């Protein structure tokens, strides 16, 4: 899929796994997030097609967005985490392209809800709103504005409840 920023996006392939690990390691200060991606890949929360890369003109992955299964109360939902971009491509649209492609793929799979714990000035551009406004909470001590949720289908409003993450998140 070619995005409006000219980034190519696609679901990860097995050949992309080492490059994705390098992207995540480069984007964060510790290996926690890279180890998390590896653990999620081996977990039942993994959904084929929802680990998306954005690639440069040579087809090399430079950005990555991951959606895995979580629950809002008892309702199946997705968790967007982590989102990573090689430092030299940050602020270029590579991360946004991967997120948009992942959300598009999730809609195509019939998914309805996505949560994200992230920067409150960044994620609203994708339609995320404060989760607490919908009665959605987390068991983590995080700023209220950083926990957000998105209904992928406007005819299916967000459910209320506490977000339960996949086991590799450790919460």
């Amino acid at each position: 899929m070619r995005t409006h920023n000219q980034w190519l996006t696609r679901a990860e392939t097995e050949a992309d796994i080492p490059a994705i690990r390098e992207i995540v390691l480069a984007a964060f200060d510790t290996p926690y997030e890279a180890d998390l991606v590896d653990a999620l890949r081996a977990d039942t929360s993994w959904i084929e097609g929802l680990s998306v890369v954005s690639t440069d003109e040579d087809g090399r992955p430079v950005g990555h967005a991951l959606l895995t299964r979580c629950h809002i109360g008892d309702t199946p939902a997705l968790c967007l985490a982590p989102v990573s971009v090689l430092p030299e491509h940050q602020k270029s649209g590579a991360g946004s392209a991967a997120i948009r492609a992942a959300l598009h793929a999730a809609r195509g799979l019939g998914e309805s809800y996505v949560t994200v714990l992230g920067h409150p000035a960044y994620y609203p551009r994708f339609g995320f709103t404060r989760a607490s406004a919908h009665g959605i909470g987390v068991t983590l001590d995080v700023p209220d504005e950083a926990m957000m949720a998105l209904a992928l289908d406007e005819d299916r409003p967000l459910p209320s409840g506490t977000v339960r993450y996949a086991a590799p998140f450790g919460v």
Side-chain angles (χ1 to χ4, degrees), residues 52-102:
V52 175
V53 294
S54 52
T55 64
D56 64 15
E57 60 277 355
D58 297 323
R60 182 178 73 105
V62 300
H64 176 250
L66 178 61
L67 291 167
T68 54
R69 177 67 63 218
C70 71
H71 289 81
I72 301 171
D74 291 328
T75 304
L78 297 171
C79 171
L80 174 59
V83 174
S84 312
V85 177
L86 289 173
E88 63 268 27
H89 292 285
Q90 290 175 1
K91 300 188 187 297
S92 69
S96 292
I99 292 168
R100 285 189 181 94

Side-chain angles (χ1 to χ4, degrees), residues 9-12 20 23-24 28 37 40-41 46-47 49-55 61-68 79-86 93-105 114 116 122-123 126 128:
T9 58
R10 58 176 171 74
E12 81 166 39
I20 290 169
I23 292 166
V24 182
F28 291 95
V37 172
L40 287 166
R41 198 177 276 114
W46 187 264
I47 301 170
L50 296 185
S51 176
V52 175
V53 294
S54 52
T55 64
V62 300
H64 176 250
L66 178 61
L67 291 167
T68 54
C79 171
L80 174 59
V83 174
S84 312
V85 177
L86 289 173
S96 292
I99 292 168
R100 285 189 181 94
L103 295 173
H104 179 77
V114 182
V116 67
Y122 181 73
Y123 290 97
F126 306 102
F128 286 93

